[in-house]
Amino acid sequence: MKKNIFILFLTLLLIPSFATGEPNKTIEIQGVIGDYAQEDRIYEVGGKIYKFDEDIVIQAQDGTLLTFADLKGGIEIKIIGEKTADPKGKAKEKIKYTTIIVLK
């Protein structure tokens, strides 16, 4: 039994991601759409440029589903995404945008 605990302890020391247990982190970005290229799904929001995947969920605050055609300049939106770290630690963190909510 003590041998198993010792091996588990060494494993946790050698693999820091197990020890820290860092989960994916949810992020929210809120801002007004400025310039955009609807065909390419590229939008300027709050002065920063974002490119969205084709399968992102776009919805109104009440849950009504929308499309990229509904996203125009001057509309306030909230972008929800998930930040993940590379388990090997070689690459930067990646952000997967999952939802765009059109605010009123």
Side-chain angles (χ1 to χ4, degrees):
M1 180 69 173
K2 289 182 181 182
K3 183 178 180 182
N4 290 342
I5 293 173
F6 180 72
I7 291 173
L8 177 63
F9 178 75
L10 285 178
T11 303
L12 291 175
L13 285 177
L14 295 174
I15 306 173
S17 63
F18 285 166
T20 58
E22 291 181 28
N24 294 346
K25 183 178 178 183
T26 300
I27 61 164
E28 292 185 5
I29 302 159
Q30 188 168 329
V32 176
I33 297 174
D35 199 13
Y36 62 97
Q38 185 176 341
E39 311 82 37
D40 297 323
R41 300 177 312 278
I42 299 173
Y43 291 82
E44 178 215 348
V45 180
K48 293 187 179 181
I49 305 296
Y50 299 93
K51 179 166 176 60
F52 301 111
D53 291 337
E54 199 172 311
D55 63 345
I56 192 168
V57 175
I58 304 170
Q59 64 185 36
Q61 280 183 304
D62 65 3
T64 305
L65 292 179
L66 303 172
T67 66
F68 281 103
D70 298 305
L71 300 178
K72 308 276 186 212
I75 294 176
E76 186 174 8
I77 63 171
K78 181 189 296 186
I79 306 165
I80 300 173
E82 208 172 69
K83 187 184 288 190
T84 58
D86 181 16
K88 296 177 184 173
K90 293 184 179 184
K92 286 183 163 182
E93 296 176 323
K94 293 184 180 183
I95 298 175
K96 166 79 172 153
Y97 301 111
T98 57
T99 309
I100 297 173
I101 301 171
V102 176
L103 305 173
K104 295 188 178 205

